[in-house]
PDB file of all heavy atoms in Angstrom:
ATOM      1  N   HIS A   1      -5.725   3.990  -2.127  1.00 98.00           N
ATOM      2  CA  HIS A   1      -4.763   4.662  -3.031  1.00 98.00           C
ATOM      3  C   HIS A   1      -5.450   5.681  -3.915  1.00 98.00           C
ATOM      4  O   HIS A   1      -5.040   6.820  -3.956  1.00 98.00           O
ATOM      5  CB  HIS A   1      -4.051   3.602  -3.950  1.00 98.00           C
ATOM      6  CG  HIS A   1      -2.871   4.183  -4.673  1.00 98.00           C
ATOM      7  ND1 HIS A   1      -3.034   4.739  -5.963  1.00 98.00           N
ATOM      8  CD2 HIS A   1      -1.585   4.360  -4.424  1.00 98.00           C
ATOM      9  CE1 HIS A   1      -1.903   5.296  -6.355  1.00 98.00           C
ATOM     10  NE2 HIS A   1      -0.984   4.915  -5.510  1.00 98.00           N
ATOM     11  N   ARG A   2      -6.534   5.348  -4.506  1.00 98.00           N
ATOM     12  CA  ARG A   2      -7.286   6.272  -5.394  1.00 98.00           C
ATOM     13  C   ARG A   2      -7.791   7.495  -4.500  1.00 98.00           C
ATOM     14  O   ARG A   2      -7.627   8.650  -4.977  1.00 98.00           O
ATOM     15  CB  ARG A   2      -8.627   5.559  -5.894  1.00 98.00           C
ATOM     16  CG  ARG A   2      -8.410   4.969  -7.260  1.00 98.00           C
ATOM     17  CD  ARG A   2      -9.811   4.622  -7.966  1.00 98.00           C
ATOM     18  NE  ARG A   2     -10.824   4.085  -6.963  1.00 98.00           N
ATOM     19  CZ  ARG A   2     -10.912   2.749  -6.631  1.00 98.00           C
ATOM     20  NH1 ARG A   2     -10.045   1.934  -7.046  1.00 98.00           N
ATOM     21  NH2 ARG A   2     -11.893   2.400  -5.856  1.00 98.00           N
ATOM     22  N   GLU A   3      -8.348   7.207  -3.387  1.00 98.00           N
ATOM     23  CA  GLU A   3      -9.053   8.388  -2.638  1.00 98.00           C
ATOM     24  C   GLU A   3      -7.953   9.213  -1.919  1.00 98.00           C
ATOM     25  O   GLU A   3      -8.280  10.370  -1.583  1.00 98.00           O
ATOM     26  CB  GLU A   3      -9.890   7.715  -1.607  1.00 98.00           C
ATOM     27  CG  GLU A   3     -11.078   6.939  -2.074  1.00 98.00           C
ATOM     28  CD  GLU A   3     -12.252   7.893  -2.657  1.00 98.00           C
ATOM     29  OE1 GLU A   3     -12.511   8.900  -1.931  1.00 98.00           O
ATOM     30  OE2 GLU A   3     -12.758   7.673  -3.690  1.00 98.00           O
ATOM     31  N   VAL A   4      -6.792   8.612  -1.617  1.00 98.00           N
ATOM     32  CA  VAL A   4      -5.893   9.415  -0.768  1.00 98.00           C
ATOM     33  C   VAL A   4      -4.511   9.422  -1.302  1.00 98.00           C
ATOM     34  O   VAL A   4      -3.938  10.481  -1.706  1.00 98.00           O
ATOM     35  CB  VAL A   4      -5.767   8.760   0.672  1.00 98.00           C
ATOM     36  CG1 VAL A   4      -4.881   9.620   1.528  1.00 98.00           C
ATOM     37  CG2 VAL A   4      -7.102   8.626   1.263  1.00 98.00           C
ATOM     38  N   LEU A   5      -3.812   8.301  -1.416  1.00 98.00           N
ATOM     39  CA  LEU A   5      -2.307   8.234  -1.606  1.00 98.00           C
ATOM     40  C   LEU A   5      -1.913   8.775  -2.948  1.00 98.00           C
ATOM     41  O   LEU A   5      -0.900   9.381  -3.066  1.00 98.00           O
ATOM     42  CB  LEU A   5      -1.809   6.821  -1.406  1.00 98.00           C
ATOM     43  CG  LEU A   5      -2.188   6.233   0.021  1.00 98.00           C
ATOM     44  CD1 LEU A   5      -1.955   4.800   0.008  1.00 98.00           C
ATOM     45  CD2 LEU A   5      -1.243   6.899   1.043  1.00 98.00           C
ATOM     46  N   ALA A   6      -2.709   8.542  -3.940  1.00 97.00           N
ATOM     47  CA  ALA A   6      -2.335   9.030  -5.243  1.00 97.00           C
ATOM     48  C   ALA A   6      -2.106  10.558  -5.414  1.00 97.00           C
ATOM     49  O   ALA A   6      -1.360  10.977  -6.348  1.00 97.00           O
ATOM     50  CB  ALA A   6      -3.497   8.626  -6.363  1.00 97.00           C
ATOM     51  N   GLN A   7      -2.639  11.255  -4.397  1.00 97.00           N
ATOM     52  CA  GLN A   7      -2.535  12.734  -4.514  1.00 97.00           C
ATOM     53  C   GLN A   7      -1.208  13.274  -3.806  1.00 97.00           C
ATOM     54  O   GLN A   7      -0.883  14.441  -3.806  1.00 97.00           O
ATOM     55  CB  GLN A   7      -3.645  13.475  -3.798  1.00 97.00           C
ATOM     56  CG  GLN A   7      -4.926  13.347  -4.650  1.00 97.00           C
ATOM     57  CD  GLN A   7      -6.143  12.521  -3.955  1.00 97.00           C
ATOM     58  OE1 GLN A   7      -6.505  13.014  -2.919  1.00 97.00           O
ATOM     59  NE2 GLN A   7      -6.571  11.455  -4.539  1.00 97.00           N
ATOM     60  N   TYR A   8      -0.370  12.316  -3.338  1.00 97.00           N
ATOM     61  CA  TYR A   8       0.743  12.738  -2.522  1.00 97.00           C
ATOM     62  C   TYR A   8       2.062  11.888  -3.037  1.00 97.00           C
ATOM     63  O   TYR A   8       1.783  10.746  -3.454  1.00 97.00           O
ATOM     64  CB  TYR A   8       0.542  12.536  -1.023  1.00 97.00           C
ATOM     65  CG  TYR A   8      -0.565  13.205  -0.433  1.00 97.00           C
ATOM     66  CD1 TYR A   8      -1.893  12.553  -0.536  1.00 97.00           C
ATOM     67  CD2 TYR A   8      -0.520  14.456   0.113  1.00 97.00           C
ATOM     68  CE1 TYR A   8      -3.024  13.200  -0.048  1.00 97.00           C
ATOM     69  CE2 TYR A   8      -1.691  15.069   0.664  1.00 97.00           C
ATOM     70  CZ  TYR A   8      -2.894  14.435   0.576  1.00 97.00           C
ATOM     71  OH  TYR A   8      -3.987  15.065   1.152  1.00 97.00           O
ATOM     72  N   ASP A   9       3.232  12.487  -2.831  1.00 95.00           N
ATOM     73  CA  ASP A   9       4.477  11.630  -3.067  1.00 95.00           C
ATOM     74  C   ASP A   9       4.906  10.987  -1.808  1.00 95.00           C
ATOM     75  O   ASP A   9       5.717  11.680  -1.033  1.00 95.00           O
ATOM     76  CB  ASP A   9       5.506  12.644  -3.733  1.00 95.00           C
ATOM     77  CG  ASP A   9       6.860  11.815  -3.861  1.00 95.00           C
ATOM     78  OD1 ASP A   9       6.797  10.552  -3.973  1.00 95.00           O
ATOM     79  OD2 ASP A   9       7.863  12.407  -3.828  1.00 95.00           O
ATOM     80  N   VAL A  10       4.299   9.835  -1.453  1.00 97.00           N
ATOM     81  CA  VAL A  10       4.599   9.314  -0.129  1.00 97.00           C
ATOM     82  C   VAL A  10       4.975   7.880  -0.285  1.00 97.00           C
ATOM     83  O   VAL A  10       4.736   7.211  -1.279  1.00 97.00           O
ATOM     84  CB  VAL A  10       3.404   9.486   0.810  1.00 97.00           C
ATOM     85  CG1 VAL A  10       3.170  10.955   1.127  1.00 97.00           C
ATOM     86  CG2 VAL A  10       2.155   8.863   0.242  1.00 97.00           C
ATOM     87  N   MET A  11       5.483   7.241   0.777  1.00 97.00           N
ATOM     88  CA  MET A  11       5.672   5.854   0.786  1.00 97.00           C
ATOM     89  C   MET A  11       4.771   5.085   1.765  1.00 97.00           C
ATOM     90  O   MET A  11       4.304   5.716   2.750  1.00 97.00           O
ATOM     91  CB  MET A  11       7.186   5.519   1.256  1.00 97.00           C
ATOM     92  CG  MET A  11       7.523   5.822   2.645  1.00 97.00           C
ATOM     93  SD  MET A  11       9.014   4.934   3.278  1.00 97.00           S
ATOM     94  CE  MET A  11       8.245   3.388   3.754  1.00 97.00           C
ATOM     95  N   THR A  12       4.499   3.840   1.434  1.00 98.00           N
ATOM     96  CA  THR A  12       3.589   3.073   2.289  1.00 98.00           C
ATOM     97  C   THR A  12       4.323   1.651   2.553  1.00 98.00           C
ATOM     98  O   THR A  12       4.800   1.090   1.481  1.00 98.00           O
ATOM     99  CB  THR A  12       2.296   2.850   1.684  1.00 98.00           C
ATOM    100  OG1 THR A  12       2.436   2.359   0.350  1.00 98.00           O
ATOM    101  CG2 THR A  12       1.479   4.194   1.657  1.00 98.00           C
ATOM    102  N   VAL A  13       4.252   1.185   3.705  1.00 98.00           N
ATOM    103  CA  VAL A  13       4.674  -0.230   4.023  1.00 98.00           C
ATOM    104  C   VAL A  13       3.563  -0.749   4.803  1.00 98.00           C
ATOM    105  O   VAL A  13       3.065  -0.298   5.826  1.00 98.00           O
ATOM    106  CB  VAL A  13       5.904  -0.207   4.718  1.00 98.00           C
ATOM    107  CG1 VAL A  13       6.088   0.642   5.976  1.00 98.00           C
ATOM    108  CG2 VAL A  13       6.373  -1.649   5.019  1.00 98.00           C
ATOM    109  N   GLY A  14       3.051  -1.868   4.364  1.00 98.00           N
ATOM    110  CA  GLY A  14       1.909  -2.639   5.065  1.00 98.00           C
ATOM    111  C   GLY A  14       2.429  -3.783   5.929  1.00 98.00           C
ATOM    112  O   GLY A  14       3.205  -4.629   5.381  1.00 98.00           O
ATOM    113  N   GLU A  15       2.117  -3.667   7.161  1.00 96.00           N
ATOM    114  CA  GLU A  15       2.543  -4.863   8.020  1.00 96.00           C
ATOM    115  C   GLU A  15       1.499  -5.917   7.730  1.00 96.00           C
ATOM    116  O   GLU A  15       0.263  -5.715   7.918  1.00 96.00           O
ATOM    117  CB  GLU A  15       2.452  -4.511   9.533  1.00 96.00           C
ATOM    118  CG  GLU A  15       2.777  -5.625  10.490  1.00 96.00           C
ATOM    119  CD  GLU A  15       2.318  -5.404  11.863  1.00 96.00           C
ATOM    120  OE1 GLU A  15       1.369  -4.761  12.147  1.00 96.00           O
ATOM    121  OE2 GLU A  15       3.002  -5.940  12.754  1.00 96.00           O
ATOM    122  N   MET A  16       1.929  -7.105   7.260  1.00 97.00           N
ATOM    123  CA  MET A  16       1.144  -8.136   6.781  1.00 97.00           C
ATOM    124  C   MET A  16       1.474  -9.637   7.345  1.00 97.00           C
ATOM    125  O   MET A  16       2.076 -10.363   6.565  1.00 97.00           O
ATOM    126  CB  MET A  16       1.056  -8.168   5.282  1.00 97.00           C
ATOM    127  CG  MET A  16       0.484  -6.765   4.696  1.00 97.00           C
ATOM    128  SD  MET A  16       0.040  -6.836   2.989  1.00 97.00           S
ATOM    129  CE  MET A  16      -0.547  -5.297   2.683  1.00 97.00           C
ATOM    130  N   PRO A  17       1.135  -9.869   8.538  1.00 95.00           N
ATOM    131  CA  PRO A  17       1.395 -11.220   9.022  1.00 95.00           C
ATOM    132  C   PRO A  17       0.637 -12.178   8.091  1.00 95.00           C
ATOM    133  O   PRO A  17      -0.517 -11.950   7.634  1.00 95.00           O
ATOM    134  CB  PRO A  17       0.660 -11.225  10.377  1.00 95.00           C
ATOM    135  CG  PRO A  17       0.667  -9.783  10.767  1.00 95.00           C
ATOM    136  CD  PRO A  17       0.443  -9.018   9.569  1.00 95.00           C
ATOM    137  N   GLY A  18       1.255 -13.317   7.801  1.00 94.00           N
ATOM    138  CA  GLY A  18       0.583 -14.406   7.048  1.00 94.00           C
ATOM    139  C   GLY A  18       0.649 -14.112   5.538  1.00 94.00           C
ATOM    140  O   GLY A  18       0.053 -14.888   4.743  1.00 94.00           O
ATOM    141  N   ALA A  19       1.245 -13.071   5.066  1.00 96.00           N
ATOM    142  CA  ALA A  19       1.418 -12.737   3.650  1.00 96.00           C
ATOM    143  C   ALA A  19       2.550 -13.562   3.053  1.00 96.00           C
ATOM    144  O   ALA A  19       3.608 -13.571   3.647  1.00 96.00           O
ATOM    145  CB  ALA A  19       1.463 -11.307   3.317  1.00 96.00           C
ATOM    146  N   ASN A  20       2.302 -14.329   1.956  1.00 96.00           N
ATOM    147  CA  ASN A  20       3.480 -15.001   1.283  1.00 96.00           C
ATOM    148  C   ASN A  20       3.967 -14.289   0.066  1.00 96.00           C
ATOM    149  O   ASN A  20       3.380 -13.247  -0.262  1.00 96.00           O
ATOM    150  CB  ASN A  20       2.968 -16.458   0.920  1.00 96.00           C
ATOM    151  CG  ASN A  20       1.807 -16.495  -0.014  1.00 96.00           C
ATOM    152  OD1 ASN A  20       1.708 -15.676  -0.839  1.00 96.00           O
ATOM    153  ND2 ASN A  20       0.934 -17.472   0.050  1.00 96.00           N
ATOM    154  N   VAL A  21       4.898 -14.834  -0.640  1.00 97.00           N
ATOM    155  CA  VAL A  21       5.550 -14.078  -1.613  1.00 97.00           C
ATOM    156  C   VAL A  21       4.548 -13.801  -2.839  1.00 97.00           C
ATOM    157  O   VAL A  21       4.459 -12.643  -3.348  1.00 97.00           O
ATOM    158  CB  VAL A  21       6.671 -14.905  -2.298  1.00 97.00           C
ATOM    159  CG1 VAL A  21       7.146 -14.215  -3.639  1.00 97.00           C
ATOM    160  CG2 VAL A  21       7.855 -15.049  -1.372  1.00 97.00           C
ATOM    161  N   GLU A  22       3.629 -14.717  -3.140  1.00 97.00           N
ATOM    162  CA  GLU A  22       2.720 -14.426  -4.195  1.00 97.00           C
ATOM    163  C   GLU A  22       1.736 -13.302  -3.836  1.00 97.00           C
ATOM    164  O   GLU A  22       1.357 -12.520  -4.705  1.00 97.00           O
ATOM    165  CB  GLU A  22       1.990 -15.868  -4.554  1.00 97.00           C
ATOM    166  CG  GLU A  22       2.842 -16.953  -5.222  1.00 97.00           C
ATOM    167  CD  GLU A  22       3.708 -16.389  -6.388  1.00 97.00           C
ATOM    168  OE1 GLU A  22       3.185 -15.686  -7.203  1.00 97.00           O
ATOM    169  OE2 GLU A  22       4.969 -16.598  -6.254  1.00 97.00           O
ATOM    170  N   GLU A  23       1.260 -13.381  -2.610  1.00 97.00           N
ATOM    171  CA  GLU A  23       0.356 -12.285  -2.160  1.00 97.00           C
ATOM    172  C   GLU A  23       1.171 -10.930  -2.145  1.00 97.00           C
ATOM    173  O   GLU A  23       0.666  -9.929  -2.545  1.00 97.00           O
ATOM    174  CB  GLU A  23      -0.161 -12.591  -0.762  1.00 97.00           C
ATOM    175  CG  GLU A  23      -1.235 -13.627  -0.848  1.00 97.00           C
ATOM    176  CD  GLU A  23      -1.433 -14.412   0.536  1.00 97.00           C
ATOM    177  OE1 GLU A  23      -0.564 -14.461   1.295  1.00 97.00           O
ATOM    178  OE2 GLU A  23      -2.458 -15.090   0.583  1.00 97.00           O
ATOM    179  N   ALA A  24       2.400 -11.010  -1.677  1.00 97.00           N
ATOM    180  CA  ALA A  24       3.232  -9.759  -1.707  1.00 97.00           C
ATOM    181  C   ALA A  24       3.420  -9.142  -3.077  1.00 97.00           C
ATOM    182  O   ALA A  24       3.508  -7.943  -3.171  1.00 97.00           O
ATOM    183  CB  ALA A  24       4.555 -10.037  -0.962  1.00 97.00           C
TER     184      ALA A  24
END
């Protein structure tokens, strides 16, 4: 995020098998 995404107005969605609500 610091190195790349913060410089743009973009969306990100992470595919995360095994992620539960607390991790999300």
